[in-house]
Amino acid sequence: MVGPISEAERKAGNRKIKLVLLAIVTASPPLIALQLDPSPIQLLAAAGVGLLLGLVVVWYLGRLAKEFAGSGRRPPRRR
């Protein structure tokens, strides 16, 4: 049988999820801007806005996850 995930594995997994989400949200505005033939400065501005938006989304979802997780500890299972 598979045992529970260790705290270190959980933190590493959460970090990877946050980084992937940040990368996706950061890349979206420049990719959308490419459809409008932007100047390099406009493309950098879109990337900057995407990064700020990504940081806000990751922060908000992290806060939301903590709210749902409560104390972070699960009660033991009854058999």
Side-chain angles (χ1 to χ4, degrees), residues 13-73:
N14 285 339
R15 192 176 318 115
K16 287 179 186 177
I17 291 171
K18 287 178 183 180
L19 287 174
V20 168
L21 183 63
L22 180 64
I24 290 170
V25 174
T26 300
S28 293
L31 290 174
I32 293 170
L34 281 174
Q35 295 177 1
L36 302 173
D37 195 29
S39 69
I41 295 193
Q42 290 171 330
L43 198 57
L44 284 174
V49 168
L51 178 63
L52 289 175
L53 182 62
L55 290 171
V56 168
V57 167
V58 168
W59 170 79
Y60 175 73
L61 291 177
R63 204 172 139 219
L64 192 64
K66 285 181 186 175
E67 185 178 314
F68 278 109
S71 66
R73 302 273 182 198

